[in-house]
Amino acid sequence: MTANIDIKKLSELARVDLDETTAAELEGNIADILSYVASVQEVAGAAGEPQAGALRNVMREDTEPHAPEAYREALLREAPAVDEDGFIVVPPILNGLKIMDTKTAKIKDLQTALESGEETAVSLAEKYLAAITADTTESFLGVYDDVLEQAKAADARRAGGETGPLLGIPLAVKDNMLIDGKPVSAGSKILEDYRAPYTATVIKKLADAGAVFLGRTNMDEFAMGSSTEHSAYQVTKNPHDETRVPGGSSGGSAAAVAAGLAPAALGSDTGGSVRQPASFCGVVGFKPTYGAISRHGLIAMGSSLDQIGPLTHSVADAELLFSTTRGQDPLDSTTYAENTYSKPIGAPKRIGVPRAFIAADGVDPAVKENFTTSLAKLEAAGYELVDVELDILSEALAMYYIIMPAEVSSNLARYDGVSYGLRTDDADLFTQYVHTRRDGFGPEVKRRLLLGTYVLSAGYYDAYYRTAVRARRVLEDAFSKVFSEVDAIATPTTPAPAFKIGEKSADPLEMYIQDIFTVGANIGGIPAISVPSGTTEVDGKKLPLGLQLAADKNHEATLFTIGKDFEAEHLR
Ligand code: GLN
């Protein structure tokens, strides 16, 4: 179908004021994206009724008038005061410290050093803080003001006889996870001076285990992007070639681990944001089953897709962080109980390869070659490779670019200048909404707000959102069928190695295609891991590539087993 876009009406519904140039540009982008995603209409036919109910964006109703002016006073009275403080800087006392080789140290190595007394939590924290000070990748947005206090507390716990694999281990945190009292901005100007009013469940669990949080890492605004170029603050560089992007949206976390600024980091993955930057930076990135890890205290992007996941130097470290953070949480109703899904029976043996999907045009020949080598390594490790038919995977991206923006437009309705962060000074409530959102959100966020508003709007809801949710059901059924035949599915993580900074900025669809191999796991709610699989040389630089393994819901153990076997074979 041809999309009929009334950009003025759409921007009103989405509550964002647009200047004429932006409006014209977004109109063109949205038309292109809508024609790309229209293919879901062909696959939706096989599905029954959608499982999910209609989304409702409380900020807008196509048929109702705007919020009455009379509410303004009451709303503003409830609004929290804006904190004036800026970012926290690394304490100068740390300059000049000798930097140990933190580049490749795994959590397990640090644990050994802590247990033997060779290092303390404080000495480790100092080394990583010094590395952050000397860093040129711009991975961090800020270092927390109490790192050494956290480390001292961990040392005191150890002195008191406590032990544990994470006691005294430093970690980096993506800038969309809340720690009570600390700045958190989701890479957005709209939350520039915002401080978290409570602590995320994942952070609580890791703090209980004795982890030391170093600081918050750069990200694409509200986790929308594949390059970290959409951050409102800075562009993070790939440590393997600083003229290239680290991937995104957890690019700061991936680059921080790869550059040795933290032994491990937390990221969030809505369509690939942990795995894709992990692949670009040569580290392990893991996205658990939907609902395995609590998202209480994670700034929401797409609620039916978001999962928190670790970025590490080894599969074993990813497993450690996953087992520490997983579990049902009364504060997140999407987390599931231990016995919800079956567990894998026996050791994994069979790995499915959706060859037709991988052979597609647009996949870099170096990626195809590396993938073939990876498959040979899996065979050498004793796995049986089986061809599987999963053509519907190529439609996952189209489903994603309907479902995700719909959820984004709903989740981001809360940034209205009243309850959070930035607030413009306007006389009436509606103008304050649209100006706050105009000034506070960057172009990528605006694009998705408009797209999401469009696919949920009265006239197009059935054709787009409802159809995509039906198509999602077809994909879920296809995964179930495949996982009755094989233990895991192998694909490359990305269609190409890291691209140049600025290379894909002009055409949003070019950027979206980066997620072709990763979004399927989010749409299907299944776990997936990216493991470094070697490099390809481009312009004299060795750029990392990754192997992605996906398994059935709750079968993360399968991924850790295969991942470790692959790692061992790869390092042989
Ligand atoms: N790159 C994808 C996007 O732009 C995925 C983002 C994510 O996983 N948070 O939406």
Side-chain angles (χ1 to χ4, degrees):
M1 70 188 283
T2 345
N4 183 2
I5 305 159
D6 179 347
I7 201 77
K8 196 166 167 297
K9 171 87 177 137
L10 208 52
S11 69
E12 263 173 41
L13 289 173
R15 301 280 195 271
V16 234
D17 190 38
L18 300 175
D19 60 56
E20 264 175 45
T21 330
T22 316
E25 196 183 312
L26 289 184
E27 188 167 347
N29 294 161
I30 290 169
D32 290 349
I33 299 165
L34 287 172
S35 82
Y36 175 80
V37 299
S39 57
V40 292
Q41 284 148 11
E42 285 150 38
V43 285
E49 283 307 297
Q51 301 292 298
L55 286 173
R56 186 163 180 276
N57 181 337
V58 292
M59 284 283 290
R60 50 149 279 257
E61 276 300 322
D62 305 16
T63 49
E64 288 168 20
H66 305 137
E69 191 52 30
Y71 289 152
R72 178 182 163 81
E73 285 299 310
L75 286 170
L76 287 182
R77 232 179 295 125
E78 297 296 324
V82 173
D83 197 322
E84 295 294 334
D85 289 2
F87 296 127
I88 293 151
V89 292
V90 181
I93 183 182
L94 298 167
N95 289 331
L97 271 182
K98 196 171 158 285
I99 301 171
M100 77 161 183
D101 184 17
T102 51
K103 274 239 148 116
T104 51
K106 302 179 182 72
I107 295 179
K108 300 258 159 152
D109 303 330
L110 302 182
Q111 193 186 314
T112 313
L114 285 166
E115 274 163 11
S116 70
E118 184 192 321
E119 294 284 351
T120 62
V122 168
S123 72
L124 281 183
E126 283 173 341
K127 279 169 179 144
Y128 282 102
L129 287 174
I132 295 169
T133 308
D135 169 54
T136 52
T137 62
E138 299 192 59
S139 297
F140 277 82
L141 283 172
V143 167
Y144 298 133
D145 58 356
D146 62 348
V147 178
L148 295 180
E149 282 77 17
Q150 294 178 57
K152 275 182 200 145
D155 282 334
R157 281 168 66 174
R158 191 176 293 279
E162 215 180 301
T163 56
L166 287 170
L167 185 58
I169 302 292
L171 295 177
V173 182
K174 187 175 181 178
D175 187 35
N176 59 357
M177 286 170 229
L178 274 49
I179 307 184
D180 194 9
K182 302 206 186 301
V184 60
S185 76
S188 180
K189 223 172 117 184
I190 213 161
L191 289 176
E192 188 160 10
D193 293 317
Y194 185 67
R195 279 173 189 260
Y198 61 90
T199 297
T201 299
V202 268
I203 300 288
K204 269 204 193 110
K205 289 189 173 199
L206 291 166
D208 287 349
V212 173
F213 304 105
L214 293 167
R216 56 202 180 95
T217 55
N218 195 24
M219 57 183 281
D220 286 301
E221 186 174 2
F222 285 102
M224 300 176 204
S226 302
S227 67
T228 315
E229 292 166 293
H230 294 311
S231 162
Y233 300 102
Q234 62 204 34
V235 176
T236 298
K237 296 160 190 77
N238 191 313
H240 296 269
D241 176 352
E242 293 204 357
T243 65
R244 291 178 187 270
V245 303
S249 63
S250 313
S253 284
V257 176
L261 313 179
L266 293 178
S268 65
D269 192 312
T270 305
S273 279
V274 165
R275 291 158 287 153
Q276 186 256 12
S279 175
F280 276 14
C281 291
V283 299
V284 172
F286 173 58
K287 180 205 91 83
T289 307
Y290 181 75
I293 294 183
S294 169
R295 298 176 304 178
H296 173 69
L298 169 74
I299 296 178
M301 178 183 165
S303 298
S304 77
L305 304 157
D306 299 341
Q307 262 300 283
I308 291 171
L311 294 112
T312 59
H313 281 300
S314 73
V315 175
D317 283 357
E319 183 176 15
L320 170 63
L321 290 175
F322 173 66
S323 59
T324 311
T325 49
R326 73 169 306 173
Q328 202 173 12
D329 179 6
L331 297 171
D332 176 358
S333 61
T334 65
T335 52
Y336 60 84
E338 271 283 323
N339 59 1
T340 304
Y341 301 113
S342 69
K343 288 204 179 100
I345 308 162
K349 291 185 191 70
R350 287 157 66 86
I351 299 177
V353 187
R355 289 192 196 266
F357 177 46
I358 297 153
D361 290 349
V363 179
D364 190 309
V367 168
K368 288 183 184 167
E369 196 187 312
N370 178 268
F371 182 64
T372 307
T373 314
S374 297
L375 291 181
K377 286 175 186 161
L378 289 170
E379 271 187 314
Y383 291 98
E384 182 192 347
L385 302 179
V386 184
D387 282 2
V388 291
E389 196 273 320
L390 255 177
D391 291 350
I392 180 134
L393 265 184
S394 56
E395 293 302 329
L397 196 65
M399 299 173 207
Y400 178 76
Y401 275 94
I402 296 174
I403 294 169
M404 173 275 298
E407 295 180 358
V408 159
S409 76
S410 194
N411 272 325
L412 270 59
R414 70 187 63 154
Y415 305 102
D416 53 9
V418 178
S419 315
Y420 304 91
L422 186 77
R423 178 188 307 150
T424 55
D425 195 12
D426 287 294
D428 72 279
L429 191 58
F430 185 72
T431 312
Q432 180 197 294
Y433 284 163
V434 299
H435 284 176
T436 297
R437 291 158 70 81
R438 175 197 63 196
D439 296 351
F441 290 138
E444 184 59 30
V445 171
K446 286 179 184 145
R447 192 147 42 229
R448 299 197 193 195
L449 288 175
L450 264 62
L451 188 59
T453 302
Y454 184 88
V455 299
L456 289 178
S457 66
Y460 297 96
Y461 173 85
D462 278 335
Y464 290 97
Y465 180 72
R466 195 163 176 277
T467 309
V469 176
R470 285 162 62 112
R472 180 181 203 167
R473 184 76 196 181
V474 179
L475 179 70
E476 284 171 335
D477 291 347
F479 274 138
S480 297
K481 187 166 169 286
V482 166
F483 288 127
S484 68
E485 292 156 15
V486 296
D487 299 300
I489 301 166
T491 63
T493 308
T494 62
F499 48 89
K500 290 263 189 195
I501 292 170
E503 188 184 323
K504 301 205 188 287
S505 304
D507 180 359
L509 265 175
E510 277 255 326
M511 189 78 91
Y512 298 171
I513 300 285
Q514 296 305 308
D515 302 320
I516 188 88
F517 292 127
T518 51
V519 286
N522 303 76
I523 296 284
I526 60 172
I529 193 166
S530 176
V531 187
S533 61
T535 56
T536 175
E537 195 165 316
V538 186
D539 304 337
K541 297 269 167 62
K542 286 200 162 82
L543 303 179
L545 296 170
L547 168 72
Q548 177 178 250
L549 298 158
D552 204 358
K553 284 181 184 161
N554 204 36
H555 288 210
E556 7 286 283
T558 299
L559 299 180
F560 297 140
T561 304
I562 307 174
K564 284 179 210 168
D565 287 344
F566 178 76
E567 226 170 32
E569 200 59 48
H570 180 60
L571 297 175
R572 191 191 288 273

